[in-house]
Amino acid sequence: MKILHIFTDDKFANFGINQFNRIKDADIKNHYVVISNNVDVLLRINANEGFTSKQFIKKLLLRGYCEYDVVIFHSFGNVFKLFSKLLPNKIMRVWIGWGFDYYYLLNDVTVLDYKEKSKKYRIDLFELLYKILNIDKEISKVDYFCPVLNSEFILFKKFFSKNVEFIDWNYGSQEQIISENILPKNYKLGGNIYIGNSSSSTSNHFDALKRISHIENEIIIPVNYGDPIYRAWLSRKIKILSNYNNIKLLDKYLNINDFIGVLLTCNIMILNHIRQQGAGNMALGFFLGHTIYMNSKSLLYHEFKDKGFKILDVENINSGYNVELLSDADIEENKCLANKYFNINTSKHKTENLINTLKCKI
C-alpha cells in the first residue's frame, strides 16, 4: 500500500513522520511531502520532497501523485482541497485535523478583543479560484476523519458524507518528547507565566493579559508562528498594560530543546482558547507539572476534565489576587494521567490501528 503524506507546517510534521516510520510493515510505502513558502520550514522537516505553494499547484496540474492508494492530509486547507479535487476518486482520503481547518465550519465566536481588518480592497486570485471551484465540497470525499478530540467527530460529522469514518490518531507522544530531551535532574519549575500557543487571534491573549495585569511575574507569549498582522496588533496592544515591561513576546523559532527550556521557566500555563487549540502544549504542561488555566467554553477543557485532569478556569483569575497554583498532590495526579494518555505505546498503537484500518479497505 502506497501512502502519500502531505504537510504544510513544521510544528508536528517530524513527529508524524517518525510515528509512521516506526511501524515496520513491508507492505507499506510512505512518502512525505511538505508545502511551505518558508524555506526554513522546508529545511527543518525530514520529508522526501518540499515545495512552495505555487510549485505544488504546478505539479498537481501535471497530474502528479495519482499513483498512490491513500493520501493522508495533515490538515486540510485550501491548497490541499485543490489537490483532492485533482486526485482520482479511487484514491482513499484521510484527513488528520488540526482545528483551524474545520472550526471555521461552525461560524462560532472564538475570538475576544481582536477584530480582523477588512480585506475588501484586496483581491486574492487564489481565494477567487477556490470559490469558483467550490473546493469545500472536497470535504464530502474524505473517507476517514481524525480530529484532535474524539468528541469533535460527532460535532463535525454533519459536514461530511454519511460514509465518513472516525479514526483516533494524534501527533507524537509527550512522553517521547520529554525522554528525547534531557531534563535537569530534580528540576524545579520557575515562576513565569506562559500564555497561548501561537500568534493566533483565537489564543485570546489580551483577554488573559488583562486578567493578570496586576501580576509582577514575567509573562511569556509565543508568537513565533501564525498571523503576523495579529502579532503586530498584540505587540501594540500590550503597551497599555501596567505590567507591560514584564511581558516577553517570543518571535523567533525555537527547537524542541529550547522550547522545553522556556517551559521549565514557567509554572503556570494559560490557554484562553474557545476553539480547540494547544493540546500538545497542554500535554507537555501536565508532564512537567504546570498549573494550567483554560477557557471553560473550550471542548478541550471538558475533554481533559472528563479524563480526570485538574484544570482551573480562566474566569477564576481575579484582578488584585495572586494566580492560584495547584496543590502538589493535584500536580502529581496530572503527571500520572499524562503518562497514561500520552505515552509512546499509546501513540504506536494508534498508528498501527490507522494503518491496519486502511489496509483492510484497499
Side-chain angles (χ1 to χ4, degrees):
M1 181 172 67
K2 298 179 70 176
I3 303 176
L4 177 66
H5 296 262
I6 306 291
F7 296 90
T8 188
D9 202 298
D10 62 333
K11 294 190 295 295
F12 303 112
N14 284 332
F15 294 125
I17 290 171
N18 291 340
Q19 277 175 265
F20 283 95
N21 284 345
R22 232 176 254 118
I23 307 304
K24 304 304 179 184
D25 188 328
D27 296 327
I28 302 298
K29 304 295 181 185
N30 289 297
H31 187 80
Y32 306 102
V33 175
V34 59
I35 295 91
S36 177
N37 294 322
N38 185 327
V39 175
D40 290 335
V41 169
L42 297 178
L43 294 174
R44 285 198 293 265
I45 297 177
N46 301 321
N48 300 104
E49 295 180 279
F51 302 101
T52 65
S53 297
K54 289 182 179 180
Q55 290 171 335
F56 185 60
I57 289 174
K58 181 178 180 181
K59 189 172 182 71
L60 301 187
L61 295 174
L62 296 174
R63 308 299 289 172
Y65 302 121
C66 292
E67 72 273 20
Y68 288 86
D69 301 300
V70 180
V71 175
I72 297 182
F73 295 95
H74 295 261
S75 77
F76 203 44
N78 287 336
V79 173
F80 289 4
K81 290 172 187 170
L82 177 60
F83 179 27
S84 175
K85 193 173 188 68
L86 296 172
L87 285 174
N89 288 334
K90 66 178 182 179
I91 295 180
M92 192 177 297
R93 292 157 171 81
V94 179
W95 176 3
I96 296 176
W98 286 21
F100 80 89
D101 48 345
Y102 51 88
Y103 264 84
Y104 76 94
L105 295 166
L106 296 178
N107 291 317
D108 287 348
V109 175
T110 60
V111 176
L112 308 171
D113 292 317
Y114 176 75
K115 187 175 181 180
E116 188 175 9
K117 291 184 179 179
S118 171
K119 299 178 181 179
K120 62 182 179 180
Y121 298 113
R122 194 185 85 190
I123 299 176
D124 189 311
L125 295 179
F126 279 112
E127 286 185 14
L128 182 62
L129 173 65
Y130 298 145
K131 287 183 178 179
I132 292 172
L133 295 175
N134 194 16
I135 57 172
D136 268 349
K137 288 188 69 174
E138 291 305 302
I139 292 174
S140 65
K141 294 182 183 177
V142 172
D143 298 286
Y144 292 97
F145 180 43
C146 312
V148 176
L149 306 177
N150 295 3
S151 56
E152 289 174 328
F153 181 75
I154 303 299
L155 183 62
F156 289 93
K157 189 177 180 181
K158 61 187 176 184
F159 297 105
F160 294 79
S161 77
K162 63 181 181 181
N163 297 319
V164 69
E165 296 183 42
F166 169 75
I167 298 181
D168 183 12
W169 191 89
N170 300 107
Y171 288 94
S173 82
Q174 277 61 34
E175 179 189 26
Q176 179 191 343
I177 295 171
I178 295 295
S179 66
E180 290 179 353
N181 296 272
I182 300 173
L183 297 176
K185 190 174 182 180
N186 299 321
Y187 70 88
K188 185 176 181 180
L189 296 177
N192 297 337
I193 298 174
Y194 181 94
I195 299 181
N197 74 316
S198 66
S199 179
S200 165
S201 59
T202 51
S203 292
N204 296 317
H205 296 101
F206 194 68
D207 179 77
L209 287 167
K210 287 185 295 184
R211 297 174 184 274
I212 59 171
S213 60
H214 61 288
I215 298 294
E216 295 182 357
N217 307 55
E218 182 170 307
I219 299 166
I220 297 174
I221 304 177
V223 291
N224 46 2
Y225 69 88
D227 182 356
I229 296 175
Y230 173 75
R231 182 189 306 133
W233 174 87
L234 181 63
S235 180
R236 294 192 301 271
K237 195 74 173 174
I238 61 177
K239 292 179 181 178
I240 69 173
L241 298 171
S242 59
N243 60 345
Y244 162 65
N245 289 327
N246 297 334
I247 300 172
K248 180 180 180 181
L249 298 181
L250 294 181
D251 56 2
K252 304 296 184 185
Y253 167 77
L254 297 177
N255 61 38
I256 189 63
N257 289 309
D258 292 337
F259 177 62
I260 290 178
V262 169
L263 290 182
L264 289 174
T265 70
C266 305
N267 61 354
I268 293 172
M269 184 180 288
I270 300 177
L271 298 173
N272 196 25
H273 314 89
I274 297 172
R275 195 200 89 189
Q276 171 278 116
Q277 196 172 338
N281 283 5
M282 277 192 70
L284 278 174
F286 289 135
F287 264 104
L288 294 173
H290 290 87
T291 294
I292 298 180
Y293 284 82
M294 291 189 69
N295 193 307
S296 59
K297 295 178 182 178
S298 166
L299 274 179
L300 191 59
Y301 172 89
H302 294 285
E303 185 129 339
F304 276 114
K305 290 280 279 189
D306 289 345
K307 284 180 166 65
F309 287 96
K310 299 297 187 294
I311 306 168
L312 301 179
D313 189 345
V314 169
E315 290 292 332
N316 293 336
I317 301 176
N318 297 313
S319 180
Y321 295 90
N322 289 328
V323 182
E324 179 186 356
L325 292 172
L326 289 176
S327 67
D328 290 343
D330 285 343
I331 287 173
E332 288 306 312
E333 185 173 350
N334 280 347
K335 288 182 178 181
C336 290
L337 288 169
N339 276 300
K340 175 182 176 181
Y341 288 107
F342 311 120
N343 64 69
I344 295 172
N345 290 333
T346 299
S347 171
K348 183 178 180 182
H349 173 74
K350 288 182 178 183
T351 306
E352 288 173 335
N353 178 64
L354 187 155
I355 288 174
N356 290 333
T357 300
L358 299 177
K359 286 173 72 173
C360 290
K361 294 289 185 177
I362 295 298

